[in-house]
Amino acid sequence: MNMKGRTGFPIVVVIAFILLSFNPGESEVAASLLSSPYDPMRVCQAPTSIPSLPSSCTRAANLTLRQVIAVTRHGDRVPDHVLNAYPDLTDVAWECSLSFIEQPDLSGYYAGDTRFKKEYLPHRQILRGNCASGQLTTKGYRQHYDLGQLYSSVYASLLPKSKVVGSLYVRSTDYPRTMMSAQGNVNGILSHLPSNGVASNITVKTMDSDSDNMYSNYYICPYTTALLDSRMSSDKYQVYLKSIRPIQYEIAELGYYGGHPEQVSIGGFCDICTTRTCHGFSLPPGVTRTLFQASCEAAQWQSGFIYASEETAMWDIGSFWEELVNHMNVCVHSVKSGGTTCSPSFLLFSGHESTLYPMLASLQAYNGYFIPYASHMEMELYEGDGHVFYIRLLFNGDDILLPGKSISPSSCPALYKYSDFLDYIRPFLAPIDYLQSCHT
C-alpha cells in the first residue's frame, strides 16, 4: 500500500474517517482511542501530595498508623527506544550527570576503601551524549528525593529517628533507574536526620529480572504469554491495529524506522517524543504536534488495554499483591499479639509503570491514562479500638475507593476495614497452585 503524498495530512482526520468506516461495534471500540486526551506534561511528573486523614476520622475510631507500604514508578528518564538504527538522532544530546558510585562489600584480604564510579563513554551510546538508554535523569532522581521528603513529613511517626534504619524496608527491581529512584527516595526520607559523619549502609533488596514478581513475568508464569496473545488477537485489538495504520505510515514517510510502516512502534515513538518534551527539547525533525498527539493517544489506549486488565491481573501481579498482603498480615498479627510497633513500619517498593498498571486494574482504579513518572501508591494500615484494623489506599495523592465495600467509619474518606480489603483483593492474589498453573 503506497501512502506517498499523504505526509502532513491531519492524522485526527484520518482516524475520524476510519471510525466512520467501521461497523457500529467497531466504531465504539475505535472511538475510545480519542476518549482520553493526551497531555505529555501530565506524564512528566506525578503529583507530589498525600492528604492527611481529617482529625474527625482519626478520632472516630481512635486510629493509630501502624504501617505504610509505598509502591512507586521510577522517575524521569531518557528514551529507551530509538527511531532509527544506531546511531540515532543527532539533533538532541542527552547528557547525564547522575551516576553510580559503588564499593565492593567484602571482608578480609580483598577489602579496600576505594569507591568506583560507573560512567558511560560520551558519544558511544545508542543515544547521542553520555546517557545509557532508559537511564534515570537528575530530574528523575530529584522527583523521588522530593517524594521521600514528603514521606518523612507525612509518615514521621513510622520513619527512622536516626540513621539506624531497622524500621525501613526497601526493595527495587534490578534496573539502574529503579535502583537510583529508590536511593533518591531513601535519601529524601533521611534528609531531615543529622549526619554523624559516617556513611549509612542501606540494604536495597532485589531479584534477578527473570524471577522478579513486581511485573508480569513470562519466566515465572509462561501462561501470561497466552493471556497476552489472547488479548492481542481479540476483535478490540484488531480494530486498534487497523486504526493506527495511517499513523504508522505517516511516521514511516518521515524516514523513521527505516521507512517501513510495519516496523513503527507507536508506543516507542510516543516515548521518544514525550521524553524530549519533558526536557524542553523540540520534537524529532518533521514530527508535528498533531502526529505526536495522535500517536500518544493510540499508545495510551494500547498500554491500558494490554497492561491494565482486570481479567489478567491475578496472573500479572497476583504474586506481588500476595507479598504485600503478607507484610500487612505480619504487622496485624504482631500488634494483636501485644507488640507496640510493626517492623518494618515503612516499606518502599521501587518499580515500573508495568507494576502499577495491573495493581490499579485489580482495584478498578485505572483511569485510562499513562502512569506518570514518579507515580506512587500508598497503603496505610491503621489500628483502631478493639484491635480492629483499617486500610487506606491512595494513588498520586487521590484516595482509591473499593467497589462494593463500605467506608468505615463513615466519617472517614476512603477508609476500609482491613478484613473487607482482604475479601476484595483475595480473587487477585496468586492461587495456591500458581506455579503449577502457570506452566500448564
Side-chain angles (χ1 to χ4, degrees), residues 30 52 63 70 75 79 140 149 159 171 180 218 224 296 319 326 354 377 390 395 402 405 409 411 419 424 436:
S52 300
L63 297 177
Q149 287 194 312
L159 290 167
R171 182 183 157 193
M180 297 188 86
Y218 164 81
T224 57
C296 286
S319 173
N326 286 341
S354 54
M377 179 186 292
Y390 302 85
F395 179 66
L402 290 180
K405 297 298 179 183
S411 59
S419 57
Y424 177 85
Q436 180 180 350

PDB file of all heavy atoms in Angstrom, residues 30 52 63 70 75 79 140 149 159 171 180 218 224 296 319 326 354 377 390 395 402 405 409 411 419 424 436:
ATOM      1  N   ALA A  30     -13.009   1.826  18.538  1.00  0.00           N
ATOM      2  CA  ALA A  30     -12.011   2.742  17.987  1.00  0.00           C
ATOM      3  C   ALA A  30     -12.173   4.153  18.544  1.00  0.00           C
ATOM      4  O   ALA A  30     -11.188   4.866  18.724  1.00  0.00           O
ATOM      5  CB  ALA A  30     -12.113   2.768  16.473  1.00  0.00           C
ATOM      6  N   SER A  52      -3.647  14.236  54.504  1.00  0.00           N
ATOM      7  CA  SER A  52      -3.830  13.525  55.766  1.00  0.00           C
ATOM      8  C   SER A  52      -5.300  13.222  55.992  1.00  0.00           C
ATOM      9  O   SER A  52      -6.190  13.925  55.480  1.00  0.00           O
ATOM     10  CB  SER A  52      -3.294  14.362  56.937  1.00  0.00           C
ATOM     11  OG  SER A  52      -1.918  14.626  56.775  1.00  0.00           O
ATOM     12  N   LEU A  63      -7.753   6.011  65.790  1.00  0.00           N
ATOM     13  CA  LEU A  63      -6.832   5.365  64.857  1.00  0.00           C
ATOM     14  C   LEU A  63      -5.372   5.670  65.164  1.00  0.00           C
ATOM     15  O   LEU A  63      -5.010   6.801  65.501  1.00  0.00           O
ATOM     16  CB  LEU A  63      -7.144   5.822  63.430  1.00  0.00           C
ATOM     17  CG  LEU A  63      -8.517   5.472  62.857  1.00  0.00           C
ATOM     18  CD1 LEU A  63      -8.673   6.075  61.468  1.00  0.00           C
ATOM     19  CD2 LEU A  63      -8.709   3.965  62.811  1.00  0.00           C
ATOM     20  N   ALA A  70       4.626   1.680  50.289  1.00  0.00           N
ATOM     21  CA  ALA A  70       4.635   2.573  49.125  1.00  0.00           C
ATOM     22  C   ALA A  70       5.186   1.819  47.922  1.00  0.00           C
ATOM     23  O   ALA A  70       6.251   1.201  48.008  1.00  0.00           O
ATOM     24  CB  ALA A  70       5.479   3.810  49.404  1.00  0.00           C
ATOM     25  N   GLY A  75      11.550   7.539  38.393  1.00  0.00           N
ATOM     26  CA  GLY A  75      11.409   8.923  37.976  1.00  0.00           C
ATOM     27  C   GLY A  75      11.734   9.132  36.501  1.00  0.00           C
ATOM     28  O   GLY A  75      11.915   8.186  35.727  1.00  0.00           O
ATOM     29  N   PRO A  79      15.033   8.484  26.764  1.00  0.00           N
ATOM     30  CA  PRO A  79      14.293   7.483  25.982  1.00  0.00           C
ATOM     31  C   PRO A  79      14.901   6.092  26.095  1.00  0.00           C
ATOM     32  O   PRO A  79      16.121   5.943  26.251  1.00  0.00           O
ATOM     33  CB  PRO A  79      14.413   8.011  24.541  1.00  0.00           C
ATOM     34  CG  PRO A  79      14.730   9.461  24.673  1.00  0.00           C
ATOM     35  CD  PRO A  79      15.524   9.599  25.924  1.00  0.00           C
ATOM     36  N   GLY A 140      14.735  12.982  37.396  1.00  0.00           N
ATOM     37  CA  GLY A 140      14.035  11.823  37.938  1.00  0.00           C
ATOM     38  C   GLY A 140      14.467  11.482  39.346  1.00  0.00           C
ATOM     39  O   GLY A 140      13.653  11.093  40.187  1.00  0.00           O
ATOM     40  N   GLN A 149      11.106  13.148  50.857  1.00  0.00           N
ATOM     41  CA  GLN A 149      10.934  14.215  51.851  1.00  0.00           C
ATOM     42  C   GLN A 149       9.470  14.330  52.278  1.00  0.00           C
ATOM     43  O   GLN A 149       9.173  14.571  53.456  1.00  0.00           O
ATOM     44  CB  GLN A 149      11.436  15.538  51.295  1.00  0.00           C
ATOM     45  CG  GLN A 149      12.953  15.632  51.217  1.00  0.00           C
ATOM     46  CD  GLN A 149      13.435  17.044  50.984  1.00  0.00           C
ATOM     47  OE1 GLN A 149      12.935  17.756  50.104  1.00  0.00           O
ATOM     48  NE2 GLN A 149      14.411  17.481  51.753  1.00  0.00           N
ATOM     49  N   LEU A 159       8.934   6.525  60.618  1.00  0.00           N
ATOM     50  CA  LEU A 159      10.232   6.512  59.961  1.00  0.00           C
ATOM     51  C   LEU A 159      11.373   6.658  60.956  1.00  0.00           C
ATOM     52  O   LEU A 159      11.171   7.071  62.097  1.00  0.00           O
ATOM     53  CB  LEU A 159      10.278   7.615  58.905  1.00  0.00           C
ATOM     54  CG  LEU A 159       9.365   7.308  57.708  1.00  0.00           C
ATOM     55  CD1 LEU A 159       9.172   8.538  56.842  1.00  0.00           C
ATOM     56  CD2 LEU A 159       9.946   6.165  56.883  1.00  0.00           C
ATOM     57  N   ARG A 171      12.896  -2.329  48.604  1.00  0.00           N
ATOM     58  CA  ARG A 171      13.064  -3.319  47.549  1.00  0.00           C
ATOM     59  C   ARG A 171      12.915  -2.626  46.205  1.00  0.00           C
ATOM     60  O   ARG A 171      12.090  -1.717  46.044  1.00  0.00           O
ATOM     61  CB  ARG A 171      12.036  -4.441  47.672  1.00  0.00           C
ATOM     62  CG  ARG A 171      12.241  -5.519  46.597  1.00  0.00           C
ATOM     63  CD  ARG A 171      11.211  -6.620  46.623  1.00  0.00           C
ATOM     64  NE  ARG A 171      11.151  -7.256  45.309  1.00  0.00           N
ATOM     65  CZ  ARG A 171      10.198  -8.078  44.916  1.00  0.00           C
ATOM     66  NH1 ARG A 171       9.207  -8.374  45.730  1.00  0.00           N
ATOM     67  NH2 ARG A 171      10.226  -8.595  43.710  1.00  0.00           N
ATOM     68  N   MET A 180      18.171   3.628  41.412  1.00  0.00           N
ATOM     69  CA  MET A 180      18.528   5.007  41.744  1.00  0.00           C
ATOM     70  C   MET A 180      17.310   5.802  42.206  1.00  0.00           C
ATOM     71  O   MET A 180      17.443   6.720  43.030  1.00  0.00           O
ATOM     72  CB  MET A 180      19.195   5.680  40.556  1.00  0.00           C
ATOM     73  CG  MET A 180      20.505   5.026  40.159  1.00  0.00           C
ATOM     74  SD  MET A 180      21.427   5.930  38.893  1.00  0.00           S
ATOM     75  CE  MET A 180      22.347   7.071  39.900  1.00  0.00           C
ATOM     76  N   TYR A 218       7.112 -13.476  32.117  1.00  0.00           N
ATOM     77  CA  TYR A 218       6.960 -14.720  31.376  1.00  0.00           C
ATOM     78  C   TYR A 218       7.755 -15.852  32.001  1.00  0.00           C
ATOM     79  O   TYR A 218       7.312 -17.003  32.014  1.00  0.00           O
ATOM     80  CB  TYR A 218       7.410 -14.514  29.932  1.00  0.00           C
ATOM     81  CG  TYR A 218       7.647 -15.803  29.185  1.00  0.00           C
ATOM     82  CD1 TYR A 218       6.597 -16.513  28.629  1.00  0.00           C
ATOM     83  CD2 TYR A 218       8.935 -16.329  29.052  1.00  0.00           C
ATOM     84  CE1 TYR A 218       6.814 -17.708  27.953  1.00  0.00           C
ATOM     85  CE2 TYR A 218       9.158 -17.526  28.390  1.00  0.00           C
ATOM     86  CZ  TYR A 218       8.102 -18.211  27.848  1.00  0.00           C
ATOM     87  OH  TYR A 218       8.322 -19.392  27.199  1.00  0.00           O
ATOM     88  N   THR A 224       1.139 -16.165  31.170  1.00  0.00           N
ATOM     89  CA  THR A 224       0.858 -14.760  30.869  1.00  0.00           C
ATOM     90  C   THR A 224       1.025 -14.464  29.382  1.00  0.00           C
ATOM     91  O   THR A 224       0.378 -13.567  28.850  1.00  0.00           O
ATOM     92  CB  THR A 224       1.763 -13.824  31.687  1.00  0.00           C
ATOM     93  OG1 THR A 224       3.135 -14.136  31.418  1.00  0.00           O
ATOM     94  CG2 THR A 224       1.490 -13.969  33.181  1.00  0.00           C
ATOM     95  N   CYS A 296       0.388   9.245  20.638  1.00  0.00           N
ATOM     96  CA  CYS A 296       0.370   9.006  22.088  1.00  0.00           C
ATOM     97  C   CYS A 296      -1.022   8.627  22.588  1.00  0.00           C
ATOM     98  O   CYS A 296      -1.148   7.839  23.535  1.00  0.00           O
ATOM     99  CB  CYS A 296       0.894  10.223  22.836  1.00  0.00           C
ATOM    100  SG  CYS A 296       2.698  10.403  22.705  1.00  0.00           S
ATOM    101  N   SER A 319       1.098 -12.483  42.499  1.00  0.00           N
ATOM    102  CA  SER A 319       2.156 -12.929  43.395  1.00  0.00           C
ATOM    103  C   SER A 319       2.717 -11.765  44.201  1.00  0.00           C
ATOM    104  O   SER A 319       3.015 -11.894  45.395  1.00  0.00           O
ATOM    105  CB  SER A 319       3.278 -13.599  42.584  1.00  0.00           C
ATOM    106  OG  SER A 319       4.389 -13.904  43.390  1.00  0.00           O
ATOM    107  N   ASN A 326       1.027 -10.187  52.775  1.00  0.00           N
ATOM    108  CA  ASN A 326       1.740 -10.918  53.824  1.00  0.00           C
ATOM    109  C   ASN A 326       2.459  -9.970  54.773  1.00  0.00           C
ATOM    110  O   ASN A 326       2.478 -10.191  55.991  1.00  0.00           O
ATOM    111  CB  ASN A 326       2.738 -11.902  53.207  1.00  0.00           C
ATOM    112  CG  ASN A 326       2.068 -13.123  52.606  1.00  0.00           C
ATOM    113  OD1 ASN A 326       0.921 -13.429  52.931  1.00  0.00           O
ATOM    114  ND2 ASN A 326       2.765 -13.817  51.724  1.00  0.00           N
ATOM    115  N   SER A 354       4.624  -0.866  34.617  1.00  0.00           N
ATOM    116  CA  SER A 354       4.059  -2.211  34.477  1.00  0.00           C
ATOM    117  C   SER A 354       3.802  -2.865  35.826  1.00  0.00           C
ATOM    118  O   SER A 354       3.145  -3.908  35.887  1.00  0.00           O
ATOM    119  CB  SER A 354       4.984  -3.094  33.634  1.00  0.00           C
ATOM    120  OG  SER A 354       6.297  -3.103  34.167  1.00  0.00           O
ATOM    121  N   MET A 377       1.839   4.770  44.898  1.00  0.00           N
ATOM    122  CA  MET A 377       0.661   4.209  45.558  1.00  0.00           C
ATOM    123  C   MET A 377       1.022   3.926  47.013  1.00  0.00           C
ATOM    124  O   MET A 377       2.056   3.323  47.289  1.00  0.00           O
ATOM    125  CB  MET A 377       0.194   2.919  44.883  1.00  0.00           C
ATOM    126  CG  MET A 377      -1.023   2.269  45.556  1.00  0.00           C
ATOM    127  SD  MET A 377      -1.458   0.642  44.858  1.00  0.00           S
ATOM    128  CE  MET A 377      -2.017   1.122  43.227  1.00  0.00           C
ATOM    129  N   TYR A 390      -7.736  -1.063  59.870  1.00  0.00           N
ATOM    130  CA  TYR A 390      -8.312  -0.373  58.725  1.00  0.00           C
ATOM    131  C   TYR A 390      -7.206  -0.095  57.703  1.00  0.00           C
ATOM    132  O   TYR A 390      -6.016  -0.037  58.047  1.00  0.00           O
ATOM    133  CB  TYR A 390      -8.947   0.958  59.146  1.00  0.00           C
ATOM    134  CG  TYR A 390     -10.024   0.823  60.192  1.00  0.00           C
ATOM    135  CD1 TYR A 390      -9.701   0.785  61.548  1.00  0.00           C
ATOM    136  CD2 TYR A 390     -11.370   0.750  59.832  1.00  0.00           C
ATOM    137  CE1 TYR A 390     -10.690   0.667  62.517  1.00  0.00           C
ATOM    138  CE2 TYR A 390     -12.363   0.629  60.793  1.00  0.00           C
ATOM    139  CZ  TYR A 390     -12.015   0.578  62.125  1.00  0.00           C
ATOM    140  OH  TYR A 390     -12.997   0.456  63.087  1.00  0.00           O
ATOM    141  N   PHE A 395      -3.457   6.784  45.333  1.00  0.00           N
ATOM    142  CA  PHE A 395      -2.609   6.794  44.142  1.00  0.00           C
ATOM    143  C   PHE A 395      -2.406   8.234  43.705  1.00  0.00           C
ATOM    144  O   PHE A 395      -3.370   8.950  43.427  1.00  0.00           O
ATOM    145  CB  PHE A 395      -3.225   5.984  43.003  1.00  0.00           C
ATOM    146  CG  PHE A 395      -2.392   5.991  41.747  1.00  0.00           C
ATOM    147  CD1 PHE A 395      -1.152   5.396  41.730  1.00  0.00           C
ATOM    148  CD2 PHE A 395      -2.858   6.610  40.592  1.00  0.00           C
ATOM    149  CE1 PHE A 395      -0.364   5.403  40.584  1.00  0.00           C
ATOM    150  CE2 PHE A 395      -2.079   6.626  39.438  1.00  0.00           C
ATOM    151  CZ  PHE A 395      -0.830   6.025  39.439  1.00  0.00           C
ATOM    152  N   LEU A 402     -12.853   1.356  47.025  1.00  0.00           N
ATOM    153  CA  LEU A 402     -13.008  -0.057  46.733  1.00  0.00           C
ATOM    154  C   LEU A 402     -14.446  -0.344  46.309  1.00  0.00           C
ATOM    155  O   LEU A 402     -15.375  -0.122  47.093  1.00  0.00           O
ATOM    156  CB  LEU A 402     -12.652  -0.914  47.954  1.00  0.00           C
ATOM    157  CG  LEU A 402     -11.179  -0.961  48.361  1.00  0.00           C
ATOM    158  CD1 LEU A 402     -11.010  -1.846  49.596  1.00  0.00           C
ATOM    159  CD2 LEU A 402     -10.321  -1.472  47.218  1.00  0.00           C
ATOM    160  N   LYS A 405     -17.498  -2.019  48.637  1.00  0.00           N
ATOM    161  CA  LYS A 405     -17.127  -2.042  50.048  1.00  0.00           C
ATOM    162  C   LYS A 405     -17.507  -0.718  50.700  1.00  0.00           C
ATOM    163  O   LYS A 405     -17.402   0.347  50.094  1.00  0.00           O
ATOM    164  CB  LYS A 405     -15.626  -2.291  50.222  1.00  0.00           C
ATOM    165  CG  LYS A 405     -15.157  -3.649  49.684  1.00  0.00           C
ATOM    166  CD  LYS A 405     -15.834  -4.803  50.415  1.00  0.00           C
ATOM    167  CE  LYS A 405     -15.401  -6.152  49.866  1.00  0.00           C
ATOM    168  NZ  LYS A 405     -16.100  -7.276  50.531  1.00  0.00           N
ATOM    169  N   PRO A 409     -14.783   4.085  59.525  1.00  0.00           N
ATOM    170  CA  PRO A 409     -16.047   4.722  59.916  1.00  0.00           C
ATOM    171  C   PRO A 409     -16.564   5.643  58.804  1.00  0.00           C
ATOM    172  O   PRO A 409     -15.790   6.107  57.971  1.00  0.00           O
ATOM    173  CB  PRO A 409     -15.672   5.521  61.166  1.00  0.00           C
ATOM    174  CG  PRO A 409     -14.358   4.977  61.627  1.00  0.00           C
ATOM    175  CD  PRO A 409     -13.655   4.500  60.402  1.00  0.00           C
ATOM    176  N   SER A 411     -17.340   8.623  58.749  1.00  0.00           N
ATOM    177  CA  SER A 411     -16.801   9.984  58.731  1.00  0.00           C
ATOM    178  C   SER A 411     -15.448  10.067  58.047  1.00  0.00           C
ATOM    179  O   SER A 411     -14.881  11.149  57.912  1.00  0.00           O
ATOM    180  CB  SER A 411     -16.665  10.507  60.170  1.00  0.00           C
ATOM    181  OG  SER A 411     -15.801   9.666  60.920  1.00  0.00           O
ATOM    182  N   SER A 419     -10.256  -6.247  56.984  1.00  0.00           N
ATOM    183  CA  SER A 419     -10.888  -7.528  56.619  1.00  0.00           C
ATOM    184  C   SER A 419     -11.690  -7.387  55.328  1.00  0.00           C
ATOM    185  O   SER A 419     -11.729  -8.313  54.509  1.00  0.00           O
ATOM    186  CB  SER A 419     -11.790  -8.023  57.749  1.00  0.00           C
ATOM    187  OG  SER A 419     -12.785  -7.051  58.068  1.00  0.00           O
ATOM    188  N   TYR A 424     -11.861  -8.234  49.321  1.00  0.00           N
ATOM    189  CA  TYR A 424     -11.876  -7.672  47.973  1.00  0.00           C
ATOM    190  C   TYR A 424     -10.680  -8.169  47.158  1.00  0.00           C
ATOM    191  O   TYR A 424     -10.823  -8.569  45.991  1.00  0.00           O
ATOM    192  CB  TYR A 424     -11.855  -6.145  48.020  1.00  0.00           C
ATOM    193  CG  TYR A 424     -11.785  -5.549  46.633  1.00  0.00           C
ATOM    194  CD1 TYR A 424     -12.935  -5.343  45.889  1.00  0.00           C
ATOM    195  CD2 TYR A 424     -10.546  -5.257  46.043  1.00  0.00           C
ATOM    196  CE1 TYR A 424     -12.866  -4.846  44.594  1.00  0.00           C
ATOM    197  CE2 TYR A 424     -10.474  -4.768  44.746  1.00  0.00           C
ATOM    198  CZ  TYR A 424     -11.638  -4.567  44.035  1.00  0.00           C
ATOM    199  OH  TYR A 424     -11.558  -4.098  42.746  1.00  0.00           O
ATOM    200  N   GLN A 436       2.301 -24.096  39.308  1.00  0.00           N
ATOM    201  CA  GLN A 436       1.865 -25.236  38.501  1.00  0.00           C
ATOM    202  C   GLN A 436       0.933 -24.776  37.379  1.00  0.00           C
ATOM    203  O   GLN A 436       1.071 -25.172  36.219  1.00  0.00           O
ATOM    204  CB  GLN A 436       1.170 -26.287  39.364  1.00  0.00           C
ATOM    205  CG  GLN A 436       0.679 -27.499  38.589  1.00  0.00           C
ATOM    206  CD  GLN A 436      -0.016 -28.519  39.479  1.00  0.00           C
ATOM    207  OE1 GLN A 436       0.021 -28.422  40.707  1.00  0.00           O
ATOM    208  NE2 GLN A 436      -0.680 -29.479  38.857  1.00  0.00           N
TER     209      GLN A 436
END
